Amino acid sequence: MDFLHSVGVDFIVHLQTKHNSYEDWISLASAVADLHTLFFILFPIWFHLRRDTAVKLIWVTAIGDWINMVLKWVLFGERPYWWVHESQFYAAGSAPSLQQSPISCETGPGSPSGHAMASVEVWSVMVSALLAIATEKRCPSLLYRFLQIGLWILVVLIEVWVCTSRVYIATHFPHQVIAGVIIGLMVVAVVSKMKWIYRASMKTYFFVVVFMTFSGFGFYNLLIVLGVDLMWTMEKAQKWCVRADWVHLDSNPLASLVRNMGSMFGLGLGLHSALYTEKKNTSTSFKMGCVIVSLVLLQLLDGWTFSSQNHLLFYCLSFVKHAIALLISTTLVPWAISRIFKGKRDKKKL
């Protein structure tokens, strides 16, 4: 693996020296590809545009991230920003110098890339939904063909952008992002066949959340009992990151699991609450109002941050925060706006 890692490091050095003028643009891809974008921006838009697509996005990313977490713990993937300092591949003093940024110092194992997986999952689902809408609107076959080719080319370009970003900031080796893309596409293919997710009961959501959460934490503790040091990556991050404040607990696999399970639980609660089952207004103005208000409230919720000093409290609050985020879009905002619309109609009747 050292030779493969060294080739990856050479590629990172090439990117950082030859294309550093594009650093801001390249780094932006890592921020956009984070699942935070799905929970706080994309989900409320798709939920009111095409509910089944929003539901599929949550299921695909939750299952994909769970698989990513397990693979990270099993594969023990290195990260470039610490590997160059600890590898015996280089002679003393000859290790390349890799630049770091505030988003370089992730604390979990590196393989496969979670950002590469998540981005290909999200964009594949969204493009498939757009093509389905075009089919429903009886788009002319020639125009549909151009649209199909254009959208999938867009997905490829976005993935190249995201993967380049993850490599450029020295968070991943090239083979790790390629693995992430391939596994992400496999997850989408499997979940696309799971039609039952669109009619899943609250009991199903509850058991899925419980199973994935306890299996995740259970596997974590099993590895510890077997003598596996799962804190090795945190120690390396703290040792080799150029700034201590760039090392964050929320970049480890368990934190990602908690966020996804909170979102899944929030989706289940939202879809099966008494407020959601009321008859909804389907007008364009109502949907636009729901999207706009949801986005505003979600940005306010996103400002709620908490200390990671107490790990248990941090994970619990993270779960609650992401559950609330999904409840806002699915139930609370639509219910509130429908009450306002109904109040105005009642006043007109008077």
Side-chain angles (χ1 to χ4, degrees):
M1 288 299 290
D2 280 350
F3 176 74
L4 183 61
H5 287 153
S6 68
V7 172
V9 168
D10 290 340
F11 184 60
I12 296 171
V13 171
H14 170 76
L15 288 176
Q16 292 185 345
T17 54
K18 300 296 183 180
H19 304 284
N20 58 348
S21 58
Y22 301 102
E23 180 176 356
D24 291 342
W25 174 247
I26 293 175
S27 298
L28 176 64
S30 289
V32 173
D34 193 276
L35 284 180
H36 172 275
T37 305
L38 168 63
F39 301 141
F40 289 86
I41 298 177
L42 296 176
F43 178 83
I45 296 173
W46 277 105
F47 187 79
H48 296 289
L49 175 65
R50 192 178 180 88
R51 195 206 77 152
D52 284 356
T53 299
V55 171
K56 185 177 180 180
L57 282 169
I58 298 300
W59 278 88
V60 165
T61 52
I63 293 173
D65 236 33
W66 187 90
I67 293 172
N68 180 268
M69 173 193 67
V70 173
L71 290 176
K72 275 182 160 64
W73 286 337
V74 171
L75 298 177
F76 293 91
E78 303 278 356
R79 290 191 185 271
Y81 75 89
W82 74 57
W83 181 82
V84 292
H85 298 290
E86 301 200 340
S87 173
Q88 301 300 314
F89 183 83
Y90 302 103
S94 66
S97 176
L98 299 183
Q99 302 171 26
Q100 296 180 19
S101 73
I103 56 176
S104 293
C105 304
E106 296 204 357
T107 55
S111 187
S113 167
H115 281 71
M117 276 187 68
S119 61
V120 77
E121 290 163 357
V122 169
W123 281 95
S124 295
V125 170
M126 292 195 300
V127 165
S128 297
L130 290 173
L131 293 175
I133 292 173
T135 300
E136 293 169 2
K137 299 296 183 181
R138 297 182 179 179
C139 179
S141 58
L142 183 60
L143 179 59
Y144 178 85
R145 189 61 178 168
F146 277 115
L147 181 65
Q148 185 182 44
I149 294 173
L151 286 175
W152 286 115
I153 289 176
L154 177 63
V155 172
V156 172
L157 293 176
I158 289 173
E159 283 312 298
V160 171
W161 180 37
V162 171
C163 291
T164 301
S165 174
R166 303 305 290 168
V167 173
Y168 179 89
I169 63 176
T171 296
H172 287 292
F173 293 99
H175 69 276
Q176 295 173 340
V177 295
I178 293 172
V181 171
I182 294 172
I183 297 170
L185 289 172
M186 293 171 63
V187 171
V188 173
V190 171
V191 177
S192 295
K193 297 179 181 180
M194 297 164 51
K195 305 301 181 183
W196 56 267
I197 62 175
Y198 306 114
R199 58 181 185 278
S201 65
M202 185 63 228
K203 183 184 293 186
T204 299
Y205 275 96
F206 177 77
F207 282 118
V208 167
V209 170
V210 169
F211 170 76
M212 296 181 76
T213 302
F214 279 87
S215 62
F217 278 91
F219 187 56
Y220 176 85
N221 286 289
L222 174 62
L223 291 176
I224 292 177
V225 171
L226 293 175
V228 179
D229 180 15
L230 294 177
M231 293 304 293
W232 69 278
T233 55
M234 178 66 77
E235 294 169 359
K236 290 180 183 291
Q238 292 172 333
K239 181 178 180 180
W240 296 113
C241 191
V242 296
R243 290 182 53 174
D245 59 329
W246 288 356
V247 179
H248 301 290
L249 179 65
D250 63 359
S251 62
N252 74 52
L254 282 180
S256 181
L257 171 67
V258 170
R259 288 194 298 270
N260 280 284
M261 292 305 97
S263 299
M264 177 74 80
F265 189 67
L267 176 63
L269 281 179
L271 293 177
H272 295 284
S273 72
L275 301 180
Y276 180 80
T277 55
E278 290 184 2
K279 186 177 180 181
K280 294 291 190 300
N281 189 327
T282 58
S283 67
T284 302
S285 59
F286 176 80
K287 291 181 178 180
M288 287 298 296
C290 288
V291 170
I292 293 172
V293 175
S294 294
L295 289 174
V296 170
L297 292 178
L298 288 173
Q299 299 319 301
L300 294 175
L301 176 64
D302 194 29
W304 178 29
T305 58
F306 23 84
S307 172
S308 60
Q309 294 298 317
N310 184 319
H311 289 191
L312 178 60
L313 181 60
F314 175 84
Y315 290 139
C316 290
L317 291 177
S318 181
F319 182 94
V320 171
K321 177 179 178 178
H322 286 79
I324 293 174
L326 273 288
L327 277 171
I328 286 174
S329 301
T330 57
T331 296
L332 300 180
V333 168
W335 174 82
I337 294 181
S338 66
R339 294 298 93 191
I340 294 173
F341 271 65
K342 183 178 180 180
K344 289 183 177 180
R345 287 195 300 267
D346 292 343
K347 287 183 178 179
K348 288 181 179 180
K349 291 178 180 179
L350 295 175

